[in-house]
């Protein structure tokens, strides 16, 4: 149901929490007791991670069953029943916190992403995430962004070229950097270059790059950049994007808007697990 | 400088980001070029994780040097220089994002914790974290709470006893649960019991538990609970705590106030790395 | 049936023994041949680890069945049938040694523990283990102690506070050490202090510690210590405990007696596996 | 100083004991304090594992120094100074228990082995260990046997052929088993066959095996077997060997005597670590 | 000197070969003896992997020194001295086979790649590798291709889009597949589509894909395809490429030629290590 | 079906190829679509690794079924159907490359081995592999050799003694080396010594070694060596063996001929996977 790398995250997270044993549950809950638990929304949000939530219980005890009521990507209202867990009560209790920690973070990311996506509806701009994810949870953070309607930027340093200011300075200018990129590693990837001003935009255009990132530019400057580029490259707006200004940026006509906040400053969605012994 | 488990987090995070190689840096930055980078505060916050930040660079390339200007636990103002990194420019660029992701999250946690600690200054209550941490980063999340002036609750299910509503229900009541805990696992740990109302507080008291958690009670009810307990057990307030109401809760005279928000809804502190080739 | 950390011990132990292949069994036993094996007690002892024994075979080949005749914690007489294994004969042969190595050690620990527990019957003292376990088998060693009727002391350095002579000396005395402990790490754990004489017992008492360890004291001195403490703290006797003197120590009225021998000097219980091809 | 697999055992053992942190040492011992510790024999024994002891401290903190006074394989008297540790006091305290657990077990094995070796002095028989080692510590158990003057039997199922009763039964007799072994896996290894009586010894001889194991035979029967074999194969005595009867078995003229007790029933050597802050 | 993932390959390879110990070297070579070893070419080839060769020795014993005489990417003649190893003789002997196994394979790949690159000199076509690498050695195989003058295709399934016949059939045609790709995963990657005939080439062109792969087409058909595409997309020739026909394919004017043989059918370069005790 | 170490190779290989996701298949193939795939021989070869091929799919998705038509060790003709895979189409596509990479290499090794075995038919010589295997795939390389009719030499440095020229030089001659081997590590293994000329053969004979390796000798010299040895030791021919000269070497009457080429210079067997959506 989930991929091997996600399974590994779940296993490690259970090990981190349970360590040498859940000393409370072992003492107070008979191992044979069965139970049922309801995952209930305590707020309005976009559901993301219900499969991860499910797999966490199965990973702890493969006989625990989880019935999914709401699918990933759906919006729920406060009070909605999202999933129903049944099986060994002690197993459910041991996995409860980890399953919720994962589920609430992912749903929090999806919910915030959905707000950004909603804000730019009608414009061509797609909302991109960044590499500002929580270390060792990137695949889940990125999955949550997709479930919220966003689009993934490169996953890591290995699957996309993004020539930033530091690379440009080290290479001795945009042209030199782009040439070095094309020569040293001529893999079949698109080349994106970060620019800080219109002069740099022009240079990037002359180099024939595939995507131009407008980094931390004001809305008026970005407007001029879009005019300059005139469809000869894709354009990504980046830096200081907020729910307040994202629509204005989209209105300029950029292709992508990347938002670090989606994953670096997440408010966990509020989900509770109501457990009942049978 | 950092413990083995933290080192492992850093290594995994670098592997997650770099994967089969930083294809941009490899192409545009000569491997022998040296550089310097300044970690600068772009907001006011409490610094947490400067050693983790440091170790991330050393883990990528042990010849990179990091000079720490500000110590963990200190408050910085916007614009402050926190640390200075020097060595292989390509190494610095490859580790940049991971080092910041870790550092910004930890500083974000410390900063929020410090606000709570400040809010209850003058009262005996200490601010506790919870197990609502990001999976597989718990030691860093908990370390950041301490650096913000907070206090760690148990680290996982293995190093503290907390009998919650579900355990109580499974065991058949508070008294039965506490007796089971004492009999089945008579390790030398304090026993804490979660209570939902004054009747439960009284039962917990009769059982002679060490700590009573008041879960999701209103301030007036908590006041009565404190009076009932009258120093015969330690008291922890939990549930729906916010910066708005934490001082009022502390004023009641509880010993501990636990706050899930400290780690489940973190706003990353804003830190930039200004890189210069030498 | 067994937890993830125990499963990992089993897997590693099988890998350690089998390595690149059981070259004898591969050559002499047809892979399709079925067999049955009986685990039989060759001495009187307390059974501990029958689930670990079982899981070792299943870990090698999930189609091997193990029928448990005797439960963990039961005493068996020489000649008793403990469990019956059936399935792939070559699988049984490959896992035989590892399953017995684990089972015999655990049963040896449980048997010795049971002798100590029996020796103090009628007194309030409970028998504790120590951290003198075989490296990387601690969870099994500790489980075996419980199955023998003993009680686990802390599992590691992380889940219990024990201020020993070296900590006291480093901190500058018992009072300083206890204060440092309370201040620096005010988690909700009981504090235990090791004392070497009555002067230290008094100081520990004044600090209000939860548990006082009497380390390597003679029986008459321990008697005086118990009188001094007079129920204001729990008392643990430690050092030079043997089956010969443990009853005399228990008679003094201490709460805990910790015994390193339980796990550092174990005689394996004698269990044989009689295998029959079908 | 130690091989990679041993280093891994040490690392895992430290992680097992320290887990998320030594909460006592962190609170009571200043991280910058230096200390010295003396490893002192509290009994007479054969030293084994002083390098493993040393590496445990270095593994915790590479700046800790260990000065070895006594080499592995030497006999020490009660009171002897074996090694001197110096460096970070908190580091020494955190690694103390693990370093001793390893060192004491290894020295216990070496000491018992040395008694067996001494008992057969003057005879050609060499003392062999078995695979009855503590799971996941086999390389250390086997190393300790060598340091006690014993000789290692095969390390695992992969590096030696030993056709036991179960293989013989599965293959349909000794001749069939030996033929199968030679045919199916004609690697250049010696073939050893377990025999239970003189008839089997004769059959093994006829097969031209390299080594014949006499399993659980009485001394008179073993004498006849030695006469039968008459130097045409090497002979290993196995089963029910004790310090009481080992010399009598050696006197028969066997080549090898294997002793399970060497590693399955070990009494830890008594070693203390006296720590002093500087 | 080498990245973490490469270091892990080396460590695992040493563990695979040495296992529980090099029983020959341990017995015959004194641990303190020093030695020198010369890596000498026994044939003409392109050197690739000298750093991996070097790191293998250092990984076994960090005090072994390796002096590199020839750099990666250089051609050597039979008899050339490539590197000089000095340090612990037993360490050199233990690492010898693994270091050569890695070095010889990489040099074999580079040498074959260089022949292909040479064969297409003067044409614009670049030689690409494929994912037909030896499992778990892909980064080394791909590095060797680069050192031979070749260019890496995508590293794995995660860092490049290649819509093959099976994807096309599953999606219901090229257009459907390309649309699905653009919609479901609109990351900023180039899209490559495999085509089997001119009809498919036309459809791919209409979809505006970035790269068109001509799979297993004859030279005349490929010529027509190049004419059809007329610079509107990049073109990759694939399938049944050999040293015999590669120039003819290049002459057609394709941009890329991918060659599975580079990594799936490698002849190890012949390198010997002449060892001398000092 | 396959052992734990092989399973680990497969899992790592899948992780290596799939990384953070097969971005093409995820976008173009509906997760619920079923498919069938036929593994077909595109050349004549000896099949080796069909179980490894099978397990690769099951490892990716345990619900994929593989029906084996041809068993390991069988010869197939071009066009033969080897196995049939059915289940999730996207699962089949994701595992396709890895399963073939493993299967094709193993079949390539078996095919080459079978040619050598065929070439020496009628002589007593058995064909041995060497340690010149691909790092971290040794168990598969060695398994393929067996499936091709060859015989495994030692698996690693740990399960066989081979005293080579460097050991001899370090020890101060053959006699010294053999004595050291017998004294330092008197395990019950056969001793093999490498010799470069007849003088060394004589010395090895005098030492009573079990196996003498004739390294890089000419056929006439080897003939003299065989005459000298006259059945007093087993003989292994090694060095510069090719399909051209192997029969001549076998005709001399040696017991073993070891061939590095079997695993260091492998041509992958040509196997295709024809996939059909259902």
């Amino acid at each position: 149901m989930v991929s091997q790398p996600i399974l590994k995250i779940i296993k490690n997270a259970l090990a981190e929490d349970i360590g040498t044993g859940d000393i409370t549950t072992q003492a107070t809950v008979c191992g044979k007791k069965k139970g049922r638990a309801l995952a209930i929304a305590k707020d309005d949000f976009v559901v993301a991670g219900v499969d991860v939530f499910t797999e966490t219980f199965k990973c702890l005890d493969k006989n625990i069953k989880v019935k999914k009521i709401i699918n990933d990507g759906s919006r729920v209202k406060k009070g909605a029943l999202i999933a129903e867990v049944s099986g060994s009560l002690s197993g459910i209790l041991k996995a409860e916190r980890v399953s919720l920690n994962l589920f609430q973070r992912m749903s929090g990311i999806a919910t915030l992403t959905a707000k950004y996506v909603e804000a730019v509806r009608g414009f061509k701009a797609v909302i991109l995430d960044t590499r500002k994810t929580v270390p060792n949870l990137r695949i889940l953070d990125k999955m949550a962004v997709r479930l919220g309607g966003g689009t993934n930027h490169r996953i890591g340093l290995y699957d996309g070229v993004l020539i930033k200011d530091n690379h440009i300075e080290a290479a001795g200018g945009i042209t030199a950097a782009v040439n070095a990129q094309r020569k040293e590693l001529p893999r079949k990837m698109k080349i994106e270059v970060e620019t800080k001003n219109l002069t740099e935009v022009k240079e990037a255009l002359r180099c024939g790059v595939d995507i131009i990132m407008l980094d931390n530019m004001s809305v008026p400057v970005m407007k001029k950049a879009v005019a300059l580029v005139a469809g000869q490259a894709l354009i990504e707006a980046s830096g200081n994007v907020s729910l307040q200004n994202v629509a204005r940026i989209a209105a300029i006509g950029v292709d992508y808007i990347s938002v670090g906040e989606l994953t670096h400053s997440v408010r966990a969605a509020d989900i509770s697990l109501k457990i009942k012994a049978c």
Side-chain angles (χ1 to χ4, degrees), chain A residues 185-247:
Chain A
L185 191 95
R187 268 203 276 158
K188 300 178 291 188
M189 284 190 175
K190 290 191 177 168
I191 293 183
E192 175 167 10
V193 170
E194 184 183 294
T195 60
K196 290 188 301 287
N197 51 51
L198 297 178
T199 312
E200 290 190 356
V201 171
K202 286 175 201 161
E203 184 173 356
L205 259 186
R206 277 194 305 271
C207 295
V209 302
D210 301 287
I211 310 167
I212 295 175
M213 173 186 281
L214 312 179
D215 191 45
N216 279 315
M217 294 183 189
S218 67
V219 169
V221 175
M222 283 198 275
K223 265 190 188 151
K224 288 181 190 159
V226 171
L228 265 173
V229 173
Q232 299 165 76
L234 294 164
I235 298 180
E236 172 178 348
S238 171
N240 296 324
V241 180
S242 68
L243 275 172
Q244 281 66 48
N245 67 10
V246 70

Side-chain angles (χ1 to χ4, degrees), chain A residues 9 105 109 113 128-146 151-158 259-266:
Chain A
I9 289 174
R105 175 173 176 84
I109 292 172
T113 305
L128 292 179
D129 55 22
T130 65
R131 286 167 43 244
K132 297 178 181 175
T133 55
V134 158
N136 301 322
L137 285 191
R138 188 168 285 170
I139 36 176
L140 296 184
D141 280 12
K142 295 249 167 189
M143 182 193 295
V145 165
R146 291 196 302 272
T151 295
N152 292 332
H153 210 299
R154 59 180 175 171
I155 304 301
L157 293 167
Y158 52 86
V259 187
E261 182 194 9
L262 296 186
T263 52
H264 74 47
S265 296
V266 180

